[in-house]
């Protein structure tokens, strides 16, 4: 088996719907240094492995029809023609951007928390400085002798308006979550607790506060420990106040964390349960928030 054939087989063995330039570089790098695939020595190895040779190898695989440029992305993403699955919009987006994840109303839908079927896919990705820091960390894990090789480019991809014919809405966060993987896929998603927390931090991205309250009242009781743990991590005082009100006064739940959140209630303020609705005179004495839903 020659090196190009080995690359093609290694890609097909992963059985992913798409591959990025960066992931291709890393796969080729490790194959080049092992000089074998599944114990079988490789022939016709390149003299070295760098970006130029990686791009040449990509062109050879394109000529073999093993890879085809994915038109849903501006650059740097190829469809794997022998993959057994085409890949959902969620999965290929999470492969293209290794730090993006499914969030907000799309996460609610995935967990079966909402009866709404949003046509658009909601994704969250870190702000550029955080994204770059995660990139640098990943480079050192994937390519431990990075200083001795020409570093491959790992850039946040340019998403088009649609992926797999599905509209995409990308939210850029300065406080991104650490998401969880979806079993059997490369998709990442907010955890169940994080999903509930996002509903109170950004209700407008989750169907609006009236819908959020319906979801909390119908679904939250079975996830209370996970929800409280996630809200504790939120960098949003108003989300903690909203959560405290809903858990204590709507759902009649008590927990030590709620007492800690009371410090974020502000007397004399104009905080509202629903940020998009008019202020209402009915309010919670404990949480000092207008109950305007």
């Amino acid at each position: 088996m020659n090196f190009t054939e080995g690359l093609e087989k290694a890609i097909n063995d992963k059985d992913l719907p798409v591959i990025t330039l960066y992931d291709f570089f890393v796969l080729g790098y490790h194959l080049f240094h092992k000089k074998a695939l599944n114990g079988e020595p490789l022939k016709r190895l390149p003299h070295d492995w760098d970006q130029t040779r990686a791009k040449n190898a990509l062109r050879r695989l394109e000529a073999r029809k093993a890879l085809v440029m994915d038109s849903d992305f501006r650059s740097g993403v190829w469809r794997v023609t022998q993959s057994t699955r085409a890949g959902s919009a969620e999965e290929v987006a999470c492969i293209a951007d290794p730090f993006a994840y499914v969030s907000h109303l799309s996460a609610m839908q995935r967990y079966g928390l909402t009866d709404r079927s949003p046509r658009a896919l909601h994704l969250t990705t870190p702000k550029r400085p955080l994204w770059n820091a995660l990139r640098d960390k990943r480079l050192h894990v994937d390519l431990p002798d990075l200083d001795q090789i020409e570093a491959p480019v790992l850039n946040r991809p340019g998403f088009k308006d649609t992926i797999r014919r599905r509209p995409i809405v990308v939210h850029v966060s300065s406080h991104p979550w650490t998401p969880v993987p979806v079993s059997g896929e490369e998709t990442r998603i907010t955890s169940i607790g994080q999903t509930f927390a996002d509903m109170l931090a950004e209700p407008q991205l989750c169907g609006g506060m009236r819908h959020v309250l319906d979801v909390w009242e119908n679904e939250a009781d079975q996830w209370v420990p996970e929800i409280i743990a996630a809200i504790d991590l939120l960098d949003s005082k108003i989300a903690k106040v909203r959560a405290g009100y809903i858990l204590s006064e709507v759902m009649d739940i008590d927990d030590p964390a709620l007492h800690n959140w009371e410090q974020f209630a502000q007397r004399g303020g104009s905080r509202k349960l629903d940020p998009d609705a008019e202020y209402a005179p009915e309010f919670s004495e404990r949480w000092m928030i207008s109950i305007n839903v």
Side-chain angles (χ1 to χ4, degrees):
M1 184 189 308
N2 66 39
F3 184 71
T4 300
E5 292 168 340
L7 279 170
E8 182 176 351
K9 186 175 189 319
I11 291 169
N12 290 336
D13 286 349
K14 286 181 174 291
D15 197 30
L16 297 179
V18 297
I19 190 169
T20 64
L21 173 59
Y22 174 77
D23 288 335
F24 181 82
F25 184 97
V26 172
L27 184 147
Y29 168 81
H30 290 291
L31 198 63
F32 171 77
H33 284 279
K34 287 180 181 178
K35 299 179 174 23
L37 178 65
N38 301 329
E40 182 179 348
L42 296 173
K43 303 172 184 176
R44 296 172 61 186
L45 272 74
H47 295 297
D48 201 351
W49 187 249
D50 53 26
Q51 283 196 56
T52 299
R53 290 179 173 88
K55 290 175 182 177
N56 289 339
L58 270 169
R59 281 193 285 270
R60 289 194 295 273
L61 289 180
E62 286 180 305
R64 295 165 67 97
K65 307 299 184 186
L67 299 177
V68 178
M69 282 291 294
D70 194 316
S71 59
D72 283 351
F73 299 90
R74 292 195 175 96
S75 64
V77 181
W78 285 261
R79 295 194 189 212
V80 180
T81 58
Q82 295 300 311
S83 176
T84 61
R85 50 203 178 90
S88 63
E90 293 94 332
E91 184 171 29
V92 297
C94 287
I95 294 173
D97 183 342
F99 311 119
Y101 52 88
V102 178
S103 62
H104 301 96
L105 195 59
S106 295
M108 294 165 65
Q109 179 191 33
R110 188 83 188 225
Y111 284 118
L113 299 174
T114 178
D115 57 3
R116 300 188 181 184
S117 299
R119 185 162 176 262
L121 169 61
H122 289 261
L123 298 170
T124 295
T125 191
K127 275 195 170 180
R128 185 162 299 281
L130 292 172
W131 201 100
N132 289 346
L134 290 168
R135 174 199 62 197
D136 294 345
K137 183 178 179 180
R138 178 164 175 174
L139 281 169
H140 287 291
V141 171
D142 290 344
L143 302 161
D145 57 347
L146 181 66
D147 294 339
Q148 283 74 50
I149 64 172
E150 179 189 12
V153 177
L154 175 55
N155 289 325
R156 185 158 60 193
F159 288 119
K160 291 189 176 180
D161 292 338
T162 61
I163 296 177
R164 302 301 186 261
R165 299 182 180 180
R166 188 171 179 188
I168 302 297
V169 179
V170 180
H171 311 287
V172 180
S173 175
S174 56
H175 296 93
W177 293 109
T178 299
V180 296
V182 174
S183 178
E185 299 180 22
E186 296 299 302
T187 307
R188 294 172 297 276
I189 189 172
T190 48
S191 71
I192 191 75
Q194 294 165 356
T195 302
F196 274 96
D198 276 344
M199 292 184 216
L200 299 187
E202 299 176 292
Q204 71 279 10
L205 302 180
C206 301
M209 183 55 80
R210 189 175 297 278
H211 182 58
V212 164
L213 281 175
D214 287 342
V215 173
W216 272 69
E217 290 184 50
N218 292 327
E219 305 287 349
D221 56 348
Q222 59 185 315
W223 306 105
V224 169
E226 292 87 349
I227 292 170
I228 289 174
I231 288 172
D232 255 340
L233 295 175
L234 267 180
D235 187 38
S236 170
K237 296 177 182 178
I238 185 58
K240 289 180 168 69
V241 170
R242 289 172 182 150
Y245 165 75
I246 295 170
L247 289 169
S248 64
E249 298 189 20
V250 176
M251 301 176 62
D252 198 27
I253 289 172
D254 190 27
D255 186 278
L258 275 63
H259 300 283
N260 293 333
W261 298 344
E262 283 187 66
Q263 65 181 299
F264 302 117
Q266 292 182 351
R267 185 171 300 279
S270 58
R271 285 180 163 175
K272 302 180 293 184
L273 183 59
D274 185 348
D276 297 321
E278 295 295 323
Y279 185 87
E282 182 184 353
F283 66 96
S284 165
E285 289 281 358
R286 178 180 179 185
W287 297 99
M288 301 176 198
I289 188 172
S290 170
I291 311 306
N292 62 339
V293 180

